Amino acid sequence: MNTIIDIANSIFNPLINLGAAPLMTIVLTIIALFFKVKPARALEGGIKLGIALTGIGAIIGILTTAFSEAMTAFVERTGISLNITDVGWAPLATITWGSPYTLYFLLIMVILNIVMLALKKTDTLDVDIFNIWHLAIVGLFAIFCGANLFTATLLVLFIGVLKIWNSDLMKPTFNDLLNAPDNNPMTTTHMNYMMNPVIMVFDKIFDKIFPWLDKYDFDAAKLNSKIGFWGSKFAIGIYLGVFVGLLAGQSPTKIFTLAFTAAVCLELFSLIGSWFIAAVEPLSQGITDFANKRLKGREINIGLDWPFIAGRAEIWATANVLAPIMLLEAIFLPGNKLLPLGGIIAMGVTPALLVVTRGKLIRMIVIGAVELPLFLWSGTLIAPFVTKTAKAVGAFPSGLSESVMISHTTMEGPIEKFLGYLVGNMSQGQISFVLYTILALVAYLLIFVWYARQMKKRNTEYANTK
């Protein structure tokens, strides 16, 4: 195994030294060409990815530089030490893709998906290549915490199998939410939906204790319409900047500068995020065409990135409500060191809430508020790993002090990060960690099995209503 990584390092280290944007431009282009994408289209996707990585890095630099002075003053005035900077998802993707291990994890997940398709253990072809980083970072974190590559690989494969099965389980619900026919091919293997089992537990508790609240549920589209620009990304940026500036005791000039900077950055996060999706579209199409030729007409679901469901207003209404809740939780939550910045628009949280509750807005907000601490604690836990890796691959934001740590508030897969931590520490032979890890993995599997049964019952109901 180590020989494979040594070979990968000898091949990829010269590319890594070019920087994240050139590296990913080259890698994405080559992979697309392998799947017989036309050279111009393959290069177009590669360049778009390089541009997106460069753009998001620039925005993160602006945001973190603007907030660094205010955050220092905030800590001094309040004594609340939220000293880990939330840089959002894109820098973490850059950091993860800067490791040759990520390409290795991509390879084993492609092989796993092909084997499961061949054995008819899944009907989903995962073409969401870029977002393999969400799973890869779990393996990388396990290695950082002490696991060897073999153990980290087993963990990635274990989660990967469940992730692919989950895409099959969710497919009828996506049809329902999109009002789409059965032959709609769209589903997703995105890591944020691995929160579904935990959300399902809370949803069942809601059924037992608070079912009467459903009578007061309201239409998310109407809520968004009534909120108007007050719930927009730039408005949330304004609130965030004013709030932090006031807590830091800054002058009105500095407060407004901070507010407008945050507003610009949150708007641009969304814009540049769409560039990543456009960048991998040629590769996704190439993989789809390849599979159609090889699978001889078998009906296959296509695992896409999560935003194909982003037209549902509940996602955005819930995110708007959860933003101030997250900010308050971050300040008062014991053990949290993160102040929400780049991740305050909770896209790592709300899509799974939509699927499990099927758009019941009150449930989405209540359950979302209850589960947010998991994300804050997870982001705090992995900050040393993220910071050290960012510096190693040259992706540490230039506007921050070298002594500052970075992470992401609402990074997908918080429970999986805890599993990576346990598996890594278990590998060092501590008996307590061995026991904790076994218990955690068994609990993780059992709750998924229970969730799968609930989803199969739901899917049977869908089938019987046709």
Side-chain angles (χ1 to χ4, degrees), residues 255-278:
I255 290 174
F256 284 116
T257 299
L258 194 64
F260 285 112
T261 300
V264 168
C265 290
L266 290 186
E267 282 290 337
L268 289 177
F269 275 138
S270 177
L271 174 63
I272 296 175
S274 67
W275 298 354
F276 284 92
I277 299 168

Side-chain angles (χ1 to χ4, degrees), residues 128 131 188 190 193 273 277 304-311 315-316 351:
D128 187 15
N131 282 314
T188 180
H190 203 284
Y193 294 101
I277 299 168
L304 303 172
D305 197 359
W306 77 265
F308 74 87
I309 198 71
I315 286 178
W316 306 103

Side-chain angles (χ1 to χ4, degrees), residues 294-321:
R294 297 295 189 274
L295 297 175
K296 300 178 181 177
R298 177 179 161 194
E299 285 192 10
I300 296 295
N301 302 326
I302 304 300
L304 303 172
D305 197 359
W306 77 265
F308 74 87
I309 198 71
R312 292 287 304 211
E314 295 90 346
I315 286 178
W316 306 103
T318 303
N320 288 338
V321 176

